[in-house]
Amino acid sequence: MNAEKTLDPPSHATELRETLFSALAALPRPAWILFIGTFLNKFGTFVVPFLALYLTANGFTVGQAGLAIAVYGVGGLLASLLGGHLADHLGRRKTIVLSMFSGAAMMLLLSQARNFPAILLFTMLTGLTNEFYRPASSALLADVVPPARRITAFATLRMAFNAGFAFGPATAGFIAAFGFVWLFVGDAATSALYGLVALCALPTGTHGTSENAGGGRVLSTLRHDRKLHQLLLANFAIALLFCQMASTYGLFVTHRGFSTATYGVVLSLNGVLVVLFELPLTTITRRFPARRVMAVGYVLIALGYTLNAFAHSIPALVGCMLIFTFGEMITMPTNMAYLASLAPPEMRGRYMGVSGLTWSSALILGPALGMKLLAGEPAVYWISCAGLGLFAATVISAREPKPVSPDER
């Protein structure tokens, strides 16, 4: 089956012409539970943004604080695989509930850790438990939403995610004034609240053990799914570029003589634009073939970021961010919906997990590579950033690979 046609088949022409409000109203109740739960969980992400401040305030070095944050990322990397496996074996709802309750417990244990080895251990376990709900959440959303509405659904999920991050850190800053321990308590409480909501309101019986594909079959399917390989390769390239915005970009802006406040405002513009405009934009992007939409988005992301090399004023930085964010908004919901269309229902959790692993790997490699290049060879850095976006666009817009026949396997 052509995955592009799966997203917007001719039989769904009426759905493609409907307004944004009618498209949202048509989303099923479980989808809205996921949106609300995602907002709650991300709004309550109080500890991670303040982890470095917490550790240095308690006598640990900046290097130790950086190591703790890196260990959290390792936990998130493992969570992609564990979450995908549990989503298909245990079921979507049970995986989300387990992640939220275990994440709350690990957060409270981390608050009581006093020596550095214990802090590293519980930080990694917190990253693991806090993040392994993601493949299950994406898989469940694909389960309950018909293909023609998935772009809208994933855009709404991203809006909830970004809105939570937009409001959460400001609230955390207020709470921290009363003591860092309350950040841990608040973070754990919001996770537990989402766990309760998921336990009581999400549907049961969504692709658990009875319909689950065995490990051998899953590995064979993943190994021979050429469309998936094409998507993962493109995503890895664009993720290497994407993670520069959260790492090297800050150094670049401040080295250009702009204040950290300017950097923060320009970066926040990205989240505000996503919350305000990504959903309305999907009423247009869902009408076009998915792979073409992603290719255009990849080019815009690369263009917006690379033009920063010539930005010497605040309006120029804002203009670059506008182009970058526009590319992100047209690409990401389509990307997630396209991945969901590729995955067999009984393997959907593991497909989402493998995709998450790709992004996590890029997040581990990208910042260090980017900082090294920018410090030593700035021209090579900017050319590489442009090249990554163009490479991703070329890969995803290349001729669609033919499926592998059983005899070829």
Side-chain angles (χ1 to χ4, degrees):
M1 181 181 291
N2 187 317
E4 288 189 282
K5 293 182 180 179
T6 304
L7 293 182
D8 49 3
S11 61
H12 293 298
T14 300
E15 291 173 330
L16 293 175
R17 290 194 299 267
E18 67 188 355
T19 67
L20 175 61
F21 291 109
S22 60
L24 291 173
L27 294 177
R29 180 174 174 269
W32 287 101
I33 300 300
L34 287 171
F35 303 152
I36 294 169
T38 297
F39 174 80
L40 282 173
N41 183 246
K42 291 307 159 188
F43 172 79
T45 305
F46 295 153
V47 171
V48 175
F50 287 81
L51 186 58
L53 291 177
Y54 166 74
L55 291 175
T56 53
N58 282 277
F60 295 99
T61 67
V62 173
Q64 287 175 316
L67 179 58
I69 294 171
V71 165
Y72 184 94
V74 172
L77 182 71
L78 298 174
S80 296
L81 295 177
L82 177 64
H85 175 80
L86 291 178
D88 287 339
H89 278 273
L90 194 62
R92 321 304 197 209
R93 186 189 69 153
K94 290 179 181 178
T95 300
I96 295 171
V97 171
L98 179 61
S99 176
M100 292 300 104
F101 286 138
S102 61
M106 289 302 108
M107 188 62 70
L108 293 177
L109 288 172
L110 176 59
S111 73
Q112 301 305 306
R114 295 294 178 261
N115 62 74
F116 193 59
I119 288 172
L120 289 180
L121 173 63
F122 286 115
T123 299
M124 187 193 70
L125 291 175
T126 298
L128 173 64
T129 54
N130 269 350
E131 302 296 335
F132 76 72
Y133 81 96
R134 287 199 189 189
S137 180
S138 297
L140 179 56
L141 191 60
D143 291 341
V144 300
V145 175
R149 301 190 193 278
R150 283 180 186 157
I151 293 177
T152 299
F154 280 110
T156 309
L157 184 69
R158 277 175 42 84
M159 185 184 73
F161 189 94
N162 281 280
F165 266 128
F167 294 106
T171 305
F174 175 77
I175 293 174
F178 296 92
F180 278 110
V181 68
W182 293 107
L183 292 179
F184 292 92
V185 173
D187 202 318
T190 54
S191 294
L193 180 59
Y194 183 18
L196 287 173
V197 170
L199 183 63
C200 297
L202 287 179
T204 59
T206 47
H207 300 295
T209 54
S210 62
E211 301 177 22
N212 183 252
R217 182 185 160 202
V218 171
L219 288 176
S220 176
T221 301
L222 291 173
R223 188 168 62 250
H224 293 97
D225 192 337
R226 293 174 180 172
K227 293 178 184 178
L228 176 65
H229 301 164
Q230 194 176 28
L231 179 65
L232 294 179
L233 180 59
N235 278 355
F236 182 72
I238 205 65
L240 286 172
L241 169 58
F242 216 95
C243 66
Q244 301 305 308
M245 189 61 74
S247 56
T248 313
Y249 180 66
L251 295 176
F252 163 76
V253 171
T254 53
H255 287 171
R256 275 280 165 96
F258 298 104
S259 67
T260 54
T262 298
Y263 163 67
V265 170
V266 174
L267 199 60
S268 295
L269 177 63
N270 172 266
V272 171
L273 290 171
V274 168
V275 170
L276 292 179
F277 297 111
E278 185 168 284
L279 257 177
L281 196 57
T282 61
T283 61
I284 300 172
T285 57
R286 66 184 179 181
R287 302 177 186 182
F288 298 95
R291 288 148 60 91
R292 293 179 191 172
V293 170
M294 287 187 282
V296 171
Y298 290 154
V299 171
L300 288 175
I301 289 170
L303 179 64
Y305 188 75
T306 306
L307 284 176
N308 280 297
F310 309 100
H312 296 279
S313 66
I314 293 176
L317 291 176
V318 169
C320 292
M321 182 59 77
L322 288 173
I323 298 171
F324 178 93
T325 305
F326 187 71
E328 176 188 352
M329 290 190 295
I330 70 173
T331 297
M332 295 312 298
T334 302
N335 187 294
M336 298 169 76
Y338 180 76
L339 175 63
S341 74
L342 292 180
E346 69 277 11
M347 302 181 196
R348 196 167 277 150
R350 280 164 285 191
Y351 266 63
M352 296 296 177
V354 169
S355 177
L357 185 65
T358 300
W359 285 84
S360 297
S361 300
L363 185 59
I364 291 174
L365 296 173
L369 290 173
M371 290 178 188
K372 185 175 182 179
L373 271 180
L374 184 62
E377 300 289 344
V380 175
Y381 172 75
W382 293 112
I383 292 171
S384 298
C385 288
L388 285 170
L390 293 176
F391 175 77
T394 301
V395 168
I396 202 62
S397 59
R399 184 177 179 180
E400 191 167 288
K402 296 179 181 179
V404 179
S405 68
D407 291 337
E408 291 179 289
R409 298 183 186 184

